[in-house]
Amino acid sequence: MLTLATLGLLLLAKAVAWGISMGAARGGPTFPAMFLGVVGGLLAAHLPGFAETPAIGVLVGAACVSVLRLPLSSIILALIITQAGAGVAPLIIVGVAVIVECATDNPTRTVASMRTIFSKNGGNLGATGSVAFQFRK
């Protein structure tokens, strides 16, 4: 097993090399992010309460989400890579935000209908604009 110092140095060197590569418009962001997630997961596995596979799954998913901005795809990718399955999925899947736009003549009725639909399916309706910062138009 690699030491913490070796893993930390490897993580730093890869992050610097990735930054230089992206600054020079060479290479893509996905696989370096996955590599950084794996090394970060190996580092996190040394913390108490973290097993190696869940730590790698969580950090690969987080690194891919930060680069790709595709949360569900990144989570599926992390689960496939680590072959962790259902034991890790709750650690990776934290929440889903949805923006609903409706054309209506009665906003009060529409809000009540949307609230009912979300609550029947295990969700809830946030305040107006509460998740808008997570989306681009």
Side-chain angles (χ1 to χ4, degrees):
M1 184 167 217
L2 298 172
T3 65
L4 285 176
T6 305
L7 286 172
L9 184 60
L10 182 62
L11 185 66
L12 180 66
K14 182 61 178 179
V16 169
W18 184 29
I20 291 169
S21 173
M22 291 303 290
R26 296 270 187 209
T30 307
F31 291 108
M34 289 174 26
F35 178 81
L36 293 175
V38 169
V39 173
L42 290 173
L43 281 170
H46 290 287
L47 297 172
F50 279 99
E52 194 171 278
T53 302
I56 290 172
V58 168
L59 285 164
V60 165
C64 287
V65 166
S66 68
V67 170
L68 298 175
R69 295 181 183 236
L70 299 169
L72 189 57
S73 299
S74 300
I75 291 165
I76 291 169
L77 185 63
L79 290 174
I80 290 171
I81 289 171
T82 59
Q83 298 178 354
V88 177
L91 298 173
I92 298 173
I93 300 172
V94 176
V96 175
V98 177
I99 289 184
V100 177
E101 291 187 58
C102 300
T104 182
D105 61 340
N106 187 341
T108 305
R109 183 185 66 225
T110 304
V111 169
S113 297
M114 295 308 300
R115 191 176 312 278
T116 302
I117 291 168
F118 276 98
S119 64
K120 282 184 178 179
N121 292 291
N124 58 9
L125 194 62
T128 301
S130 62
V131 296
F133 69 94
Q134 298 177 6
F135 296 89
R136 288 182 288 204
K137 255 192 170 179

